[in-house]
Amino acid sequence: MRNFFGRFVSLLFALVLFHSTANAAGKTIYVHLLDGDDTTADGSYGHPFKSWRAALRRVSGGDTIVAKNGDYRKAGRDAKWGGLDLVLTLADRLEVGDPRPARLARPDAVGIYRYPAEHPLTIRAESRHGVILDHIRFHLASGIVTDGFDISPNPYHTDSNGQKLNRRRNGIHGDSVYEPDETYNHVKTNDPPGGYTSAWYDRALWTSYITVRNCKIHYECPPGGCTAAYDPLQDDDRLYLIKFNQSHHITIEDNDLYDGKNYQRKPAIDLPCSDDVVVRRNLIRNSHRGVVSKGGGKRVLIEANVFVDNSGAAFSGGSTDPNLFIDGRHGDPCSFAFYESYDMTARDNLVVSTRPGEHPLEPISIWSAKNAIVINNTFVGIGERGVLLVRPGNEVDSPAKGCGRSLRLTLTDNLTLKDNIFILSGVVDETMLYQTTGEGVKIVNFQHSHNTFFNGGHEVPIGGFADPNREPGFSKDDPKLVGGQGTDYATWMATARSGNNSSTGDRGVRHLKP
């Protein structure tokens, strides 16, 4: 009897544990923008919803929305070509069943798609890259994981009059600005336009705790095709592959980003005024700059990414316009950032230069940073403009109304560059490897040591604001790298292995060690 009672208690405990685990896992709802039906759907695999909005009415934190495979762009203009827009606020026209969070501020500052960071809502493709979307957008949203989508923004759609309908579209865009574009683009102070409210600075309302994972994000050719006459560098409609503005706790990992070249030389991943961001294990190809932390962004980690065939810096502090920078304290016209980037770390990245015929620019571009660390990275085939270029945050001083201090950001403080491998392109004979540009640029507490500069057996140039030949642990030995080709992140990392040169064994991407 005692053994039976013991087995009964154990079985009861197991059932309770199973029930609790099942509840923690949440429910799964299916959607298909082409074959679903919102009027008859129950959210099952066989009866999916037809719209994102209908599916979103049936979920809460910890649940999952699965998009059944298909090219959702075929849903057309009414469905925004399959775009996933998590942008509604309490000020929008809401429908029965839409989430209605408790009002914390004025209605247009409160987004309705907000889920607990510890139990986020997951929205994923049925199979990796099996669902094609035009874009994903987050506005004042929180606690959301997007996983496995193929995102191809098309800014070329036109109406019957030939007017563009979807112009200047980013692949993924997150923001917390709750004023119309035509309004906040003319801000001349760091207080919000229209209404002066402390909600503008309340990070609890911002887009936050967003994860973008396993996605493929790229631009396709315009309607006329990528002909010899088409120049993507003159295409003003292509913008960022990923951009988060005024956001925090953002994770961008295991994505494939490519073909981000555009007229305005935008980076593949742009992070103005964004804090606590992790950019990890992404393959970023054929873009201009790679990852840019700017606008006073704080604690950005750029780790274990592969940058291939990009024209500009792999990572940088990126310039911002102080007229558009909004951060600080309500009612304080001088509460702009003093640095473009705070506490940025770039480590264990592999950077492979541009294709033959293009000019390899500097791989590291710092625009007024405080506490930036660049460590254990490997750079292959770079150096025409040096390996490090330090710039001012902005060239034009545009003081805010009521603020007497200069807004030009010219100081870089506590920059660390160590344990990196730079394989130079062989065109650096007269180039200084550590350079500055811009009036009034100052660098204090520059710590550089144990870097390898292999220049094909030639001497490493001297000069610049610091001489790498004189730094502790300097090496000009051949690091004997082999490999460096692939079709995705895993194959690039698998084919790039370091040699047995003991003098550089503790440098460069640690993942590349044999």
Side-chain angles (χ1 to χ4, degrees):
M1 177 68 70
R2 183 175 301 173
N3 289 340
F4 172 79
F5 181 75
R7 288 196 297 271
F8 176 77
V9 171
S10 299
L11 178 62
L12 181 63
F13 176 77
L15 289 173
V16 171
L17 180 62
F18 174 79
H19 181 71
S20 300
T21 303
N23 286 344
K27 62 177 176 291
T28 298
I29 297 293
Y30 290 88
V31 65
H32 197 297
L33 267 64
L34 303 177
D35 298 333
D37 188 335
D38 287 344
T39 60
T40 61
D42 59 11
S44 65
Y45 187 85
H47 296 86
F49 292 102
K50 188 178 180 62
S51 66
W52 294 113
R53 190 166 181 176
L56 286 163
R57 293 185 187 125
R58 273 76 175 182
V59 293
S60 57
D63 293 342
T64 299
I65 295 177
V66 176
K68 296 181 67 174
N69 289 343
D71 186 348
Y72 287 11
R73 298 174 300 177
K74 295 179 180 178
R77 178 180 177 181
D78 290 342
K80 298 182 180 178
W81 301 278
L84 172 56
D85 290 312
L86 299 157
V87 299
L88 295 177
T89 71
L90 289 179
D92 292 303
R93 187 186 297 276
L94 301 183
E95 300 174 358
V96 175
D98 285 334
R100 284 173 168 80
R103 180 173 172 174
L104 302 175
R106 63 188 238 189
D108 57 351
V110 182
I112 70 169
Y113 297 119
R114 302 186 68 84
Y115 306 92
E118 62 275 17
H119 298 294
L121 170 67
T122 298
I123 306 175
R124 66 174 178 86
E126 180 180 4
S127 63
R128 186 170 180 174
H129 305 158
V131 177
I132 306 175
L133 310 178
D134 181 82
H135 64 274
I136 297 178
R137 188 180 174 203
F138 305 96
H139 176 62
L140 298 168
S142 185
I144 299 170
V145 177
T146 56
D147 190 340
F149 292 100
D150 182 340
I151 301 168
S152 180
N154 186 338
Y156 310 109
H157 294 295
T158 58
D159 60 17
S160 57
N161 296 319
Q163 298 296 314
K164 291 185 177 179
L165 299 171
N166 200 33
R167 65 188 307 270
R168 300 176 66 80
R169 178 70 65 189
N170 300 319
I172 293 180
H173 184 94
D175 65 55
S176 305
V177 178
Y178 50 87
E179 297 287 346
D181 289 356
E182 65 272 13
T183 302
Y184 76 76
N185 279 339
H186 293 87
V187 175
K188 296 300 180 185
T189 172
N190 62 326
D191 278 317
Y196 288 73
T197 168
S198 58
W200 187 273
Y201 306 105
D202 188 351
R203 280 174 164 76
L205 300 173
W206 284 16
T207 290
S208 56
Y209 297 99
I210 303 293
T211 296
V212 178
R213 179 183 296 146
N214 295 321
C215 291
K216 181 167 66 174
I217 308 172
H218 57 103
Y219 281 98
E220 292 189 346
C221 296
C226 292
T227 63
Y230 173 70
D231 183 358
L233 302 188
Q234 300 301 318
D235 190 341
D236 199 28
D237 290 316
R238 298 156 66 113
L239 289 182
Y240 307 94
L241 298 176
I242 297 179
K243 180 171 183 174
F244 281 91
N245 181 37
Q246 285 183 273
S247 305
H248 62 86
H249 289 89
I250 306 298
T251 301
I252 302 168
E253 62 184 9
D254 300 305
N255 301 289
D256 186 0
L257 285 68
Y258 65 94
D259 203 14
K261 291 191 174 182
N262 48 66
Y263 171 70
Q264 299 184 44
R265 274 61 175 175
K266 303 296 186 184
I269 301 177
D270 195 44
L271 303 169
C273 196
S274 294
D275 303 339
D276 298 292
V277 182
V278 176
V279 182
R280 178 189 293 132
R281 295 188 307 272
N282 301 283
L283 175 61
I284 302 174
R285 297 177 288 156
N286 195 36
S287 297
H288 280 289
R289 285 178 288 170
V291 182
V292 166
S293 170
K294 66 183 184 182
K298 300 178 180 68
R299 296 175 300 278
V300 174
L301 173 62
I302 307 166
E303 179 182 57
N305 301 280
V306 176
F307 300 84
V308 182
D309 290 344
N310 300 314
S311 299
F315 24 83
S316 67
S319 178
T320 190
D321 184 342
N323 285 345
L324 300 184
F325 179 79
I326 299 171
D327 185 21
R329 297 178 299 277
H330 176 53
D332 181 355
C334 282
S335 57
F336 290 84
F338 285 85
Y339 296 91
E340 287 282 3
S341 182
Y342 296 79
D343 304 302
M344 181 190 80
T345 299
R347 67 188 182 202
D348 295 322
N349 298 284
L350 172 63
V351 182
V352 183
S353 179
T354 54
R355 294 183 300 274
E358 295 192 8
H359 297 295
L361 304 181
E362 73 285 347
I364 308 164
S365 184
I366 299 295
W367 309 60
S368 181
K370 184 176 179 63
N371 301 330
I373 299 173
V374 181
I375 183 172
N376 279 114
N377 303 282
T378 297
F379 304 88
V380 180
I382 48 82
E384 183 172 280
R385 279 169 45 178
V387 301
L388 168 66
L389 186 63
V390 180
R391 308 168 181 261
N394 47 337
E395 293 290 354
V396 179
D397 194 1
S398 302
K401 184 178 180 180
C403 176
R405 79 169 174 91
S406 170
L407 295 183
R408 281 202 73 223
L409 307 179
T410 57
L411 178 64
T412 289
D413 184 6
N414 198 28
L415 169 62
T416 299
L417 182 75
K418 68 176 184 178
D419 296 324
N420 302 285
I421 293 176
F422 299 94
I423 301 180
L424 306 180
S425 62
V427 293
V428 293
D429 294 340
E430 299 179 2
T431 300
M432 298 175 292
L433 297 187
Y434 299 155
Q435 298 189 67
T436 62
T437 183
E439 181 180 356
V441 171
K442 299 177 182 177
I443 304 166
V444 297
N445 300 320
F446 177 41
Q447 304 167 51
H448 54 109
S449 65
H450 296 87
N451 296 295
T452 293
F453 302 87
F454 178 61
N455 194 24
H458 303 292
E459 293 300 314
V460 176
I462 62 175
F465 66 86
D467 184 357
N469 294 273
R470 296 178 177 270
E471 68 184 22
F474 164 82
S475 174
K476 61 179 181 180
D477 295 336
D478 186 352
K480 298 181 180 178
L481 296 183
V482 296
Q485 56 184 314
T487 57
D488 55 21
Y489 175 84
T491 51
W492 267 100
M493 296 304 287
T495 59
R497 298 293 184 201
S498 59
N500 297 316
N501 191 329
S502 59
S503 66
T504 58
D506 57 346
R507 306 179 188 186
V509 180
R510 283 170 289 196
H511 297 82
L512 299 188
K513 290 186 178 182

